[in-house]
């Protein structure tokens, strides 16, 4: 299912929402700029606090192509993620 969390502090709901959807090892897909800005860490800190495993893929490009999609899908399978 597609879930959108909106509002101040909405990111704090990520671990509980993932668990409610049956996720236990999410894949965080982002790019080097977001990671470099510390935004990825804000999310991973929340998952760490909730004692959730996760995998970060920060090799995406702006306006990703179908080739990038397939790359992420292969990585997802390789890393055995659930959300």
């Amino acid at each position: 299912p597609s879930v959108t969390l909106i509002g101040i502090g909405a990111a704090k709901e990520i671990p509980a929402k993932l668990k409610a959807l049956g996720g236990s090892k999410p894949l965080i897909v982002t790019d080097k700029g977001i990671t470099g800005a510390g935004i990825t860490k804000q999310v991973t800190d929340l998952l760490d606090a909730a004692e959730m495993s996760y995998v970060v893929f920060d090799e995406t490009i702006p306006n990703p192509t179908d080739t990038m999609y397939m790359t992420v899908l292969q990585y997802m399978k390789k890393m055995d993620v659930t959300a």
Side-chain angles (χ1 to χ4, degrees), residues 3-21 42-43 46-47 50 52:
V3 175
T4 303
L5 302 173
I6 299 173
I8 296 171
K12 294 176 185 173
E13 298 176 37
I14 292 172
K17 186 60 73 174
L18 285 168
K19 288 177 183 178
L21 293 170
Q42 292 175 13
V43 175
L46 293 167
L47 297 173
M52 287 189 76

Side-chain angles (χ1 to χ4, degrees), residues 13-31:
E13 298 176 37
I14 292 172
K17 186 60 73 174
L18 285 168
K19 288 177 183 178
L21 293 170
S24 60
K25 186 179 178 185
L27 174 63
I28 300 168
V29 179
T30 188
D31 61 43

